[in-house]
């Protein structure tokens, strides 16, 4: 598993409320700790109310970058939700893109109301395989539960990303960042979630 | 099952009943469905569910149905008495002093029977009407105190069957209903669905006590009352001559002419003054203060009344022979008027077999009645 | 938001700061004494970050009732010789503009900086107004940072400029700066004594003579802009093509030049001081350029002003072609002059102007599946959903085609699916009530529909009170419903005068909504929207009969409640759910529109997504068969 070069882009996609902002922060702060230049841009505000949200994370060893990733130039896509993973890949993905995806769907209201279809997971999976370099799936909801809380799926996914070996940062640096972000029981929960995530993918990809 | 020319769903309920001023505010449809709500005596569909077939339409007392079918469903046979409906006995009755609530309308038979049925384990809740006389509200009682709190008649139409929702949600399996005749019809139609319709809505009432009813009033009557008296209304009674309103500031007499404009339009086409499909029906005696007229109709009703009598919950005496023709004539007059009114309509909600119609319209009835009265 | 790193006393350390955090840090490093704001996205977090350092650094921090009052308070501090900061979104600047145009005529004393958040693409707003025009109307300098690092330094420099020219300085932030984090080096916190006072000669009176001073001060600002470190140029000495860029667009321009390999012919002039313009600097690079491309969000503000400058100096600058919004070459994500800029669009614009380069064109590969869109929705458990359901039901019951007027806040989503498409108007803070006050007079012209204006609790204090006074005094007929979720939810749960706390959570004496409304002699009823039937009755009763009436629908925001509520579990007892055999037609998942009510295809029954359910239990009270169970739960979830 090679790590990317001196400049690379990560897009994190999810549904408002899933915590993509925090996932983006954890990765971004880890990069800063390791001496990288970071730009991390999130969608906030009204989209947090159930809309599609994404974060653009741009990492460079030497120069600052603008907040948004150009179309087709995400090196890594982290999807907190399958449909949203595909949605960002359509714009920001390419044949070089590596994809890490939480396989738990979150149904849009239009689907719940019977006005639209949620594509079968297999179809989404297949489409990603066809258009991107590779896809690793993680059942983040179940793992989060194992870790002790429903709401830490974002931290599980951060751990899973760290576990893939796609990233040039040490696991200890992430954990230091997590410690600086939380305290007490919340820290315990997030650390546990992070580690569950790391284990989930390092087993799969044989890295980290 | 009846053949349907129209789609038996909420659109038709809206068109044929609500928009046509035919809704009696029984509340049944609101008791089945989260899309139908009420305020005061207004019952309306607040969201279109999109279904073309629904229990709301099928259990409404004002969508087309056949009265004989209901007679057969409830009593196992068509009626023989076309003026008072199927019944086994008719009495004067009152609740024993110990169980008669102070606020009872007349003899407190209704309240006493409900409480007795609770004690016997026959029912686990009761859909009643509480609140004030000016602002009555549906109530779901599960204790004697709750039942006693609802004593006394409120003459406004209250969609109290809306509480079917609450009853079902809270897991009641055998509630009782006290209701106006239209409400009794709604309950019976619902019970009919249990066996016929694919989507039966769950446990239906186990005991149905009907109230005599010649009309109910629209919610606007409250505003009229408040314009006539500043005092709190404690009781209201309707006699053939006037409407007597007791208030904390003393009694007030309203003429029937003053009250009539507030009668719910649907009541002008109501064929059932004595809750003909109830287990028992309770009304005034119009003769003996503090007593009720009690019509025992079904086997369940009979059993309950007998047990209540044995348990000294009810005092019972024979119905006054001189009153019966008067009661029958009052019922007949109303039925005849309604039959004429419905005859003019293209799609009357009530389907009556020919013998049911003739029994009201036919001359021999009038002759019988005349004879009975003058003898 | 991480207030910790904003107040970290560790000079020299590199931190990842959002633009908002950087502004706060910059203000603290500049020794700000007084900070006041009304929360608005995208700049809502600035004040909270300053508040975190308030105690340590002796700053007074206030959530003000509205932007105008916030700015007036900040001006007061400036008059007394202190450094002050006020923060708002573009809409807020509109509210404060009346004061600002006066303030800049009378001038200031201590450094005063105005932070304005613009929201290109309206990510969390209703409009994408370009506030730079208002700065110009007010005759004050307007600066624009491109990222956090620059935002922090700009704030510090803005205080200096403000004190120098004795005018407020406005910093215009866009969403992609406010909410993007970049590395920033932390500086020192000053230790300086302040003593607030106004001498007898310190007078600040708006009068026509002030206009001359305004123009003089602007000239001084323009002069300083020539040497400003925030205006930078990268590219050949004599560029053939000059890109003039501001804000994050300057990054996109630089990246596009590099990616297209145009470094030898194209130069990028990044402007930080967008008003007044550094005219000499601009002329220096306009002279050699044959083509000029403008990269800015949202309106052609720099474009118009530079083109006017070029026209004025036509002899010197010569024939130049201008590409931007006017020419249609530079588009935002929603079209020319519409929406925020993206790197791909700037790349396309450059390629287009400097000769097409197919390399950047990347047609979307075919074969992606159709994707369902995602409606914005009230959060699971949001009391607004229950309130809107009740309002809808009551108006349907009433049957006179009642009209619901919207306002600004989470409940603006009432215009969409989760609010059952109820809203028929939505404009500015408090406007729904003003409009209702007008509709409430139209009975004279045959208008017979009931009008219901919904406002938030924070909005109520901000702008509703005068409209209610107007309505009550002039005897309008309508119902104002205050959706009181006891916080300013949309922007991230800031307190307001009804909450009884300051920005740091210290107690203040609340001003209850009921007290204000009763004080206006308007009848007021309070209901809990979770008690849906009671709420329906309250609204139905209120729309009957004349006069203005207020209903308070009070229930804490579900996001707050979920953190504090007792451990309960809400789930569907599938043995009781009748699935599609129930006449409800999937009420919970299809109609009620709570994202946590989902449909279990495999079982053909309803289900609750317990990972997102906020456990309000309202759906349980609406299910016609009681299949939804609210249960006390032993182990706390989440
Ligand atoms: C609208 C209306 C019209 C009536 N018209 C006549 C009439 O013309 N002639 C006649 O003889 N009797 C009429 N009655 C019946 C009569 O008023 C008494 O209710 C009945 O005799 C029972 O008396 P009680 O002493 O047993 O009642 P109580 O023991 O006091 O019990 C009264 C019961 O009636 C229920 N109730 C009260 N108001 C309503 C309502 N609006 N809808 C449904 N249930 C209600 C209460 O829940 C309570 O359980 C009418 C009743 C109503 C509600
Ligand atoms: S009569 Fe009863 S069931 Fe029919 S519409 Fe009215 S309330 Fe509903
Ligand atoms: S008169 Fe008939 S329709 Fe009217 S309330 Fe009584 S029972 Fe119902």
């Amino acid at each position: 598993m090679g790590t990317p070069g001196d400049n690379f882009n990560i897009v994190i996609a999810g549904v408002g409320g899933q915590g993509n902002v925090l996932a983006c922060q954890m990765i971004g702060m880890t990069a800063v700790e390791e001496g990288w230049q970071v730009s991390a841009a999130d969608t906030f505000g009204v989209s947090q109310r159930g809309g599609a949200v994404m974060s653009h994370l741009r990492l460079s060893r030497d120069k600052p970058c603008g907040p948004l990733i150009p179309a087709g130039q995400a090196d890594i896509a982290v999807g907190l939700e399958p449909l949203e993973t595909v949605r960002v890949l359509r714009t920001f993905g390419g044949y070089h893109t590596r994809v890490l995806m939480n396989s738990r769907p979150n149904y849009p209201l239009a689907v719940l109301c019977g006005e639209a279809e949620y594509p079968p997971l297999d179809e989404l999976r297949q489409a990603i395989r066809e258009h991107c370099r590779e896809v690793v799936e993680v059942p983040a909801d179940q793992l989060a539960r194992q870790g002790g809380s429903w709401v830490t799926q974002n931290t599980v996914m951060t751990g899973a990303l760290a576990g893939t070996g796609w990233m040039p940062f040490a696991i200890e640096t992430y954990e230091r960042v997590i410690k600086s972000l939380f305290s007490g029981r919340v820290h315990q929960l997030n650390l546990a979630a992070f580690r569950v995530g790391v284990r989930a993918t390092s087993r799969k990809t044989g890295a980290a | 099952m009846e053949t349907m020319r129209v789609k038996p769903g909420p659109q038709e309920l809206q068109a044929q009943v609500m928009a046509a001023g035919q809704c009696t505010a029984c509340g049944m449809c609101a008791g089945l469905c989260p899309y139908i709500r009420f305020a005061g005596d207004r019952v309306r569909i607040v969201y279109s569910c999109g279904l073309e077939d629904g229990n709301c339409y099928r259990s409404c007392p004002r969508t087309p149905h056949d009265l004989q079918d209901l007679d057969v469903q409830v009593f196992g046979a068509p009626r023989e008495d076309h003026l008072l409906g199927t019944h086994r006995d008719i009495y004067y009755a009152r609740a024993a002093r110990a169980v008669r609530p102070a606020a009872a309308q007349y003899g407190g038979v209704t309240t006493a029977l409900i409480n007795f049925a609770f004690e016997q384990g026959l029912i686990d809740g009761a859909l009643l009407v509480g609140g004030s006389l000016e602002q009555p509200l549906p109530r779901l009682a599960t204790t004697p105190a709750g039942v006693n709190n609802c004593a006394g008649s409120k003459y406004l139409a209250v969609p109290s069957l809306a509480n079917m929702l609450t009853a079902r949600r809270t897991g009641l399996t055998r509630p009782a209903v006290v209701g106006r005749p239209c409400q009794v019809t709604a309950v019976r139609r619902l019970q009919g669905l249990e066996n016929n319709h694919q989507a039966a809505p769950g446990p239906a009432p186990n005991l149905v006590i009907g109230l005599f009813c010649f009309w109910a009033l629209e919610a606007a009557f409250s505003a009229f009352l408040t314009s006539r008296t500043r005092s709190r209304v404690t009781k209201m009674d309707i006699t053939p001559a006037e409407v007597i309103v007791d208030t904390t500031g003393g009694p007030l007499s309203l003429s029937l002419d003053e009250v009539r404009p507030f009668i719910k339009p649907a009541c002008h086409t109501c064929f059932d003054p004595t809750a003909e499909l109830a287990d028992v029906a309770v009304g005034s005696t119009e003769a003996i203060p503090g007593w009720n007229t009690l019509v025992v109709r079904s086997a369940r009703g009979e059993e309950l009344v007998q047990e209540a009598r044995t348990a000294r919950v009810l005092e019972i005496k024979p119905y006054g022979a001189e009153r019966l023709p008067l009661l029958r004539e009052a019922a007949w007059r109303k039925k005849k008027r309604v039959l004429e009114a419905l005859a003019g309509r293209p799609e009357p909600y009530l389907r009556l077999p020919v013998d049911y119609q003739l029994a009201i319209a036919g001359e021999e009835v009038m002759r019988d009645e005349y004879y009975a009265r003058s003898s | 938001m991480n207030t910790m790193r904003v107040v970290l006393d560790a000079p020299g350390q590199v931190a990842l700061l959002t633009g908002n955090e950087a502004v706060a840090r910059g203000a603290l490093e500049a020794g700000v004494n007084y900070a006041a704001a009304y929360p608005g996205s995208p700049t809502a977090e600035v004040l909270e970050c300053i508040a975190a350092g308030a105690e340590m650094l002796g700053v007074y921090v206030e959530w003000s009732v509205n932007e105008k009052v916030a700015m007036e308070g900040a001006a007061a501090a400036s008059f007394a010789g202190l450094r002050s900061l006020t923060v708002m979104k573009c809409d807020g600047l509109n509210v404060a503009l009346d004061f600002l145009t006066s303030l800049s005529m009378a001038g200031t004393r201590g450094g005063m900086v105005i932070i304005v958040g613009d929201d290109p693409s309206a990510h969390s707003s209703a409009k994408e107004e370009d506030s730079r025009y208002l700065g110009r109307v007010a005759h004050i300098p307007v600066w624009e940072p491109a990222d956090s690092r620059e935002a922090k330094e700009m704030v510090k420099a803005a205080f200096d400029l403000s004190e120098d020219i004795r005018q407020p300085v406005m910093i215009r932030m866009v969403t992609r700066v406010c909410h993007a984090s970049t590395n920033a080096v932390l500086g020192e916190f000053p230790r300086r004594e302040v003593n607030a006072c106004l001498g007898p000669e310190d007078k600040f009176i708006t009068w026509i003579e002030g206009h001359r001073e305004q123009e003089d001060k602007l000239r001084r600002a323009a002069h300083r802009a020539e040497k400003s470190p925030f205006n930078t140029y990268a590219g050949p000495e004599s560029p053939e093509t000059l890109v003039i860029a501001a804000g994050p667009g300057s990054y996109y321009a630089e990246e596009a030049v590099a990616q297209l390999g145009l470094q030898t012919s194209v130069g990028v002039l990044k402007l930080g001081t967008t008003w007044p313009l550094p005219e000499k600097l601009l002329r220096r690079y306009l002279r050699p350029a044959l083509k000029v491309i403008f990269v800015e969000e949202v309106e052609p503000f720099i474009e118009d002003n530079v083109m006017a400058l070029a026209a004025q100096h036509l002899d010197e600058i010569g024939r130049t072609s201008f590409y931007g919004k006017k020419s249609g070459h530079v588009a935002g994500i929603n079209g020319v002059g519409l929406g925020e800029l993206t790197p791909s669009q700037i790349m396309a614009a450059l390629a287009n102007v400097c000769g097409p380069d197919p390399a950047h064109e990347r047609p979307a590969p075919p074969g992606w599946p159709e994707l369902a869109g995602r409606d914005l929705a009230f959060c699971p458990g949001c009391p607004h959903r229950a309130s809107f359901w009740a309002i809808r039901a009551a108006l349907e019951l009433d049957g006179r085609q009642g009209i619901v007027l919207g306002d600004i806040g989470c409940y603006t989503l009432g215009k969409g699916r989760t609010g059952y498409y109820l809203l028929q108007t939505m404009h500015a803070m408090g406007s729904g009530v003003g409009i209702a006050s007008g509709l409430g007079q139209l009975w004279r012209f045959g208008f017979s529909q009931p009008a219901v204006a919904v406002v938030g609790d924070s909005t109520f204090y901000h702008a509703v009170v005068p409209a209610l006074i107007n309505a009550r005094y002039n005897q309008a007929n309508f119902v104002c419903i205050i959706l009181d979720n006891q916080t300013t939810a949309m922007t991230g749960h800031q307190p307001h005068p009804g909450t009884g706390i300051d920005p740091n959570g210290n107690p203040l004496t609340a001003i209850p909504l009921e007290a204000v409304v009763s004080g206006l002699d308007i009848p007021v009823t309070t209901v809990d929207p979770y008690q849906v039937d009671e709420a329906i009755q309250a609204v139905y009763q209120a729309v009957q009969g004349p006069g203005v009436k207020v209903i308070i629908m009070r229930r804490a925001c579900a996001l707050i409640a979920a953190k504090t509520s007792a451990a309960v579990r809400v789930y569907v007892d599938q043995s009781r759910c009748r699935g599609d055999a129930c006449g409800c037609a999937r009420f919970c998942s299809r109609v009620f529109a709570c994202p946590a009510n989902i449909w279990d295809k495999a079982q053909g029954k309803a289900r609750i997504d317990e990972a997102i359910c906020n456990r309000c239990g309202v759906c349980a009270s609406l299910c016609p068969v009681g299949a939804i169970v609210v249960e006390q739960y032993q182990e706390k979830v989440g």
Side-chain angles (χ1 to χ4, degrees), chain B residues 300-338:
Chain B
R300 165 158 300 167
E302 179 167 51
E303 202 180 321
L304 182 71
V305 168
Q306 290 316 330
E307 283 173 15
R309 186 183 200 173
T310 314
R312 295 179 190 283
V313 166
L314 285 193
E315 290 171 31
I316 284 180
K317 57 185 185 181
Y319 192 70
E322 73 295 353
R323 295 296 311 172
L324 193 57
L326 295 176
L327 178 61
R328 293 177 66 82
E329 190 195 343
W332 174 71
R333 278 188 191 287
K334 169 134 196 175
K335 282 175 180 280
K336 174 124 168 92
R337 226 177 15 247
V338 169

Side-chain angles (χ1 to χ4, degrees), chain B residues 265-311:
Chain B
C267 297
H268 296 307
T269 50
C270 174
F271 195 67
D272 178 3
T274 61
E276 294 160 358
L277 299 167
D279 291 314
V280 300
V282 191
S284 141
T285 62
E286 284 178 5
I288 320 171
W291 287 75
N292 288 109
T293 298
L294 171 63
V295 183
V296 180
R297 299 186 181 280
S298 71
R300 165 158 300 167
E302 179 167 51
E303 202 180 321
L304 182 71
V305 168
Q306 290 316 330
E307 283 173 15
R309 186 183 200 173
T310 314

Side-chain angles (χ1 to χ4, degrees), chain B residues 53-137:
Chain B
D53 186 345
N55 292 330
C56 58
Y57 184 91
R58 290 173 178 272
S59 56
C60 171
R62 290 312 178 91
T63 56
H65 63 275
D66 188 305
L67 188 55
Q68 180 171 304
D69 288 351
L70 282 177
D71 276 342
V72 173
Q73 175 197 317
V74 179
F75 303 112
R79 61 184 58 187
E80 283 164 12
D81 185 330
H82 286 280
L83 299 182
L84 297 182
T86 301
H87 62 272
R88 294 163 186 250
D89 283 303
I90 174 161
Y91 303 115
Y92 286 146
R94 70 174 176 188
R97 176 173 292 277
V99 295
R100 195 185 317 146
Q105 185 64 19
Y106 303 118
V109 167
T110 313
T111 302
L113 277 179
I114 291 291
N115 277 331
F116 184 65
F118 260 121
E119 271 171 41
Q120 300 292 302
L122 183 64
I123 60 172
D124 58 2
L127 279 73
L128 306 175
V129 170
S132 61
L133 281 94
E134 298 96 322
Q135 227 195 49
L137 290 167

Side-chain angles (χ1 to χ4, degrees), chain C residues 94-177:
Chain C
N94 300 340
V95 173
L97 191 65
D98 192 15
F99 176 64
L100 180 60
T101 51
S102 308
L103 176 66
S104 77
M105 284 190 94
T108 53
R109 190 170 146 223
M112 175 168 170
V113 175
I114 301 169
I115 307 291
V116 181
D118 283 1
D119 194 5
S121 281
H123 291 283
S124 43
S125 311
K127 50 186 191 264
E128 51 180 358
E129 181 175 323
D130 189 331
S131 63
R132 296 176 296 178
Y133 292 90
L134 302 188
R136 189 177 162 177
V137 165
H139 290 75
I140 60 171
V142 179
W143 290 359
E144 286 185 72
D147 63 10
S148 310
R149 168 184 13 236
E150 190 171 41
K152 181 165 94 66
E153 299 315 314
M154 258 189 194
V155 170
K156 289 158 72 172
F159 276 110
D160 293 339
L161 177 64
S162 169
E163 268 157 23
D164 183 27
I165 63 172
R166 300 187 67 138
Q167 276 298 42
V169 174
M170 167 173 151
I171 296 184
R172 185 241 190 176
M173 309 270 290
V174 292
T175 303
R176 293 298 178 191
V177 174

Side-chain angles (χ1 to χ4, degrees), chain C residues 130 132-133 144 172 244-247 269-275 277-278 282 292-297 299-309 322 325:
Chain C
D130 189 331
R132 296 176 296 178
Y133 292 90
E144 286 185 72
R172 185 241 190 176
I244 301 178
L269 177 58
K270 176 194 149 317
L271 288 185
T273 68
T274 41
W275 187 259
L277 287 172
L282 278 162
V292 175
I293 306 175
F294 296 100
V295 175
E296 62 184 318
E297 289 170 325
E299 308 285 344
F301 180 78
I302 300 175
E303 184 172 335
D304 282 344
N305 291 325
V306 168
M307 278 162 63
L309 179 74
F322 295 98
K325 297 187 172 81

Side-chain angles (χ1 to χ4, degrees), chain A residues 143-144 146-147 156 159-160 191-201 203:
Chain A
L143 294 177
Q146 274 174 33
V156 170
L191 190 64
F194 177 79
R195 289 182 174 163
V196 170
V198 173
R199 269 201 305 281
T201 48
R203 228 182 341 219

Side-chain angles (χ1 to χ4, degrees), chain B residues 103-111 128-129 150-156 158 160 178-180 183 211-216 282-284 286 292:
Chain B
Q105 185 64 19
Y106 303 118
V109 167
T110 313
T111 302
L128 306 175
V129 170
C150 292
S153 298
K154 292 84 188 173
Y155 286 95
L156 303 194
V158 181
S160 52
V178 173
R180 293 172 282 139
Q183 297 182 297
L211 305 173
F212 287 15
C213 176
F214 283 75
W215 39 253
V282 191
S284 141
E286 284 178 5
N292 288 109

